[in-house]
Amino acid sequence: MALSHLFSSSRSSTLLKPLTTSYLLRRPISTDSTPLTIETSVPFTSHQCEAPSRAVDTSPKELLTFFRDMALMRRMEIAADSLYKAKLVRGFCHLYDGQEAVAIGMEAAITKKDAIITAYRDHCAFLGRGGNLLQIFSELMGRIDGCSRGKGGSMHFYKKDANFYGGHGIVGAQVPLGCGLAFAQKYSKDEAVTFALYGDGAANQGQLFEALNISALWDLPVILVCENNHYGMGTAEWRAAKSPAYYKRGDYVPGLKVDGMDALAVKQACKFAKEHALKNGPIILEMDTYRYHGHSMSDPGSTYRTRDEITGVRQERDPIERIRKLILSHDLATEKELKDIEKEMRKQVDDAIAQAKESPMPDPSELFTNVYVKGYGVESYGADRKEFRGVLP
């Protein structure tokens, strides 16, 4: 049997180089949890710290989960693009396709006790935290079954029970909030950390450095994750940053540059960063990644970069294709089985969209809810409910 051949005890601790071995035998999709060790695609680059090992512990089950989850995220974002063009999604919408390995690898290294806060490119982070497709598409279309009851839209996803704090539309403003979450974790002795995500465009924000300074002073358990997709809106990083080595930007704060298109490298880096933050305080992770769509739906994404550049990244670094090749090279599933998984993900997305379309729009009175704290006696009144009165406790 291929599985016993691959994972015999004499080889279970051997470092498996990615994409170097092919097997003639094929077997059904593996659910095996036998340990595998796979080397990251490129080394980590460190600043003020020792880089973690390139040898990442994983399993056949985890690799197949990575493939399934990233395929679902990819299909979800492509569907969101179509819904926007059909005018079923209004307002702002920022897609994550190409960057899925960051969300997947990060989740694999942490628990739901740890907190995540991010910017407006938040759909896949929400899904990774345990959100479902119905909540996502309902929120995108402004329906009441959305994760923010249809009032947040694409940029304001939220899942309190999984410590996912959004979803923020103001560039860079989520980073000080993330440091505040880390302060609360340390104050409460939670033994948990916060991952505060931002893009290379937000990396030049003054508030980021202010928050990092106080976090370092107080040794807060916060990991600043710069998702460097190389373009802040339509501005290339080299045009906006004199020093685009974002992992070194903390100066006195350690940093690590990671291949953000390699889910296993992201997992290893986040595991390392969590251990560091709990013991020593903040650390910066720069995820070298890439978005396939434009910055937002109004950006075709081809005026400031060539189509050849986008195609080259898809062919050489696509995070889903990397995992697909690993699965095939280690005989964990057949090509047909992986295509069947992708078909299944497409069906799940289509079914969720159909359900979301049936979800009702919020009642107009919902405009006046979630504004003031409940129980404080604040109410709106008048013909157009534009007047308010309240009683202080």
Side-chain angles (χ1 to χ4, degrees):
M1 187 180 187
L3 186 64
S4 60
H5 169 71
L6 180 59
F7 301 121
S8 63
S9 58
S10 62
R11 299 187 58 179
S12 61
S13 62
T14 303
L15 182 67
L16 297 177
K17 301 283 186 180
L19 319 184
T20 57
T21 310
S22 61
Y23 293 87
L24 296 176
L25 297 175
R26 288 295 180 194
R27 53 172 301 284
I29 290 180
S30 174
T31 57
D32 199 296
S33 296
T34 305
L36 269 172
T37 304
I38 295 178
E39 192 173 82
T40 62
S41 53
V42 296
F44 299 101
T45 308
S46 62
H47 168 70
Q48 304 276 36
C49 65
E50 290 282 335
S53 170
R54 290 181 65 185
V56 186
D57 293 331
T58 185
S59 67
K61 183 177 180 181
E62 182 176 67
L63 289 176
L64 285 157
T65 300
F66 282 1
F67 181 83
R68 180 182 295 271
D69 290 348
M70 285 197 290
L72 182 61
M73 290 177 175
R74 179 70 58 85
R75 184 60 203 168
M76 176 186 76
E77 293 296 67
I78 291 171
D81 174 70
S82 298
L83 289 171
Y84 195 96
K85 289 171 180 172
K87 296 186 178 180
L88 290 169
V89 177
R90 311 307 291 262
F92 293 101
C93 185
H94 306 80
L95 302 179
Y96 203 72
D97 49 320
Q99 299 182 208
E100 298 93 347
V102 177
I104 289 297
M106 183 169 57
E107 284 294 344
I110 63 177
T111 71
K112 295 299 187 291
K113 189 178 176 183
D114 300 306
I116 295 177
I117 187 167
T118 187
Y120 36 74
R121 207 177 300 277
D122 59 354
H123 308 162
C124 293
F126 175 80
L127 191 64
R129 288 268 90 181
N132 64 53
L133 292 172
L134 175 60
Q135 292 172 318
I136 289 170
F137 287 116
S138 295
E139 191 61 42
L140 286 174
M141 292 190 279
R143 311 300 177 106
I144 202 165
D145 287 325
C147 57
S148 298
R149 299 190 62 78
K151 298 197 286 186
S154 170
M155 298 196 295
H156 301 292
F157 283 21
Y158 179 68
K159 189 171 175 57
K160 185 178 180 180
D161 61 357
N163 287 307
F164 179 62
Y165 293 95
H168 291 266
I170 306 300
V171 175
Q174 72 277 9
V175 176
L177 296 175
C179 295
L181 290 169
F183 177 80
Q185 289 169 327
K186 182 169 184 176
Y187 186 84
S188 301
K189 299 181 180 179
D190 288 341
E191 289 299 307
V193 301
T194 294
F195 286 79
L197 282 66
Y198 58 98
D200 50 290
N204 299 320
Q205 286 273 323
Q207 58 187 325
L208 188 150
F209 293 94
E210 293 174 36
L212 183 60
N213 177 64
I214 201 72
S215 298
L217 276 173
W218 293 346
D219 295 328
L220 300 183
V222 62
I223 295 107
L224 271 63
V225 182
C226 177
E227 294 185 279
N228 181 9
N229 59 28
H230 304 285
Y231 296 94
M233 296 186 72
T235 304
E237 59 180 342
W238 60 268
R239 293 179 59 205
K242 183 64 177 176
S243 172
Y246 299 106
Y247 70 104
K248 294 181 179 179
R249 287 282 193 92
D251 185 17
Y252 43 82
V253 174
L256 201 64
K257 186 173 183 178
V258 185
D259 183 355
M261 306 292 270
D262 180 348
L264 290 171
V266 174
K267 173 190 169 182
Q268 187 82 331
C270 289
K271 180 182 176 184
F272 171 84
K274 178 177 177 177
E275 292 171 357
H276 172 94
L278 286 171
K279 292 177 183 176
N280 306 304
I283 183 171
I284 297 173
L285 298 180
E286 179 187 343
M287 301 292 179
D288 180 4
T289 185
Y290 199 83
R291 58 170 164 79
Y292 294 150
H293 268 87
H295 169 74
S296 65
M297 299 307 299
S298 61
D299 170 21
S302 56
T303 56
Y304 48 85
R305 57 184 183 176
T306 65
R307 295 195 181 277
D308 286 345
E309 177 185 308
I310 302 168
T311 301
V313 174
R314 282 185 180 274
Q315 291 176 346
E316 299 295 328
R317 300 183 65 209
D318 184 82
I320 299 177
E321 292 307 308
R322 283 181 167 184
I323 294 295
R324 187 197 304 272
K325 289 174 183 176
L326 276 174
I327 289 170
L328 293 175
S329 68
H330 296 311
D331 195 32
L332 307 180
T334 65
E335 289 185 31
K336 181 181 182 303
E337 287 165 339
L338 295 182
K339 287 181 180 178
D340 287 343
I341 289 174
E342 291 175 306
K343 288 179 183 177
E344 180 191 340
M345 298 303 100
R346 179 191 291 261
K347 184 177 185 305
Q348 285 188 22
V349 167
D350 291 344
D351 290 347
I353 291 172
Q355 280 185 276
K357 286 179 179 178
E358 296 299 317
S359 177
M361 294 288 186
D363 188 271
S365 64
E366 285 290 313
L367 285 170
F368 301 94
T369 63
N370 307 119
V371 178
Y372 298 100
V373 176
K374 285 184 179 180
Y376 272 52
V378 178
E379 62 176 347
S380 59
Y381 66 98
D384 297 318
R385 301 189 71 165
K386 291 181 178 179
E387 298 179 68
F388 294 88
R389 59 181 167 227
V391 179
L392 293 176

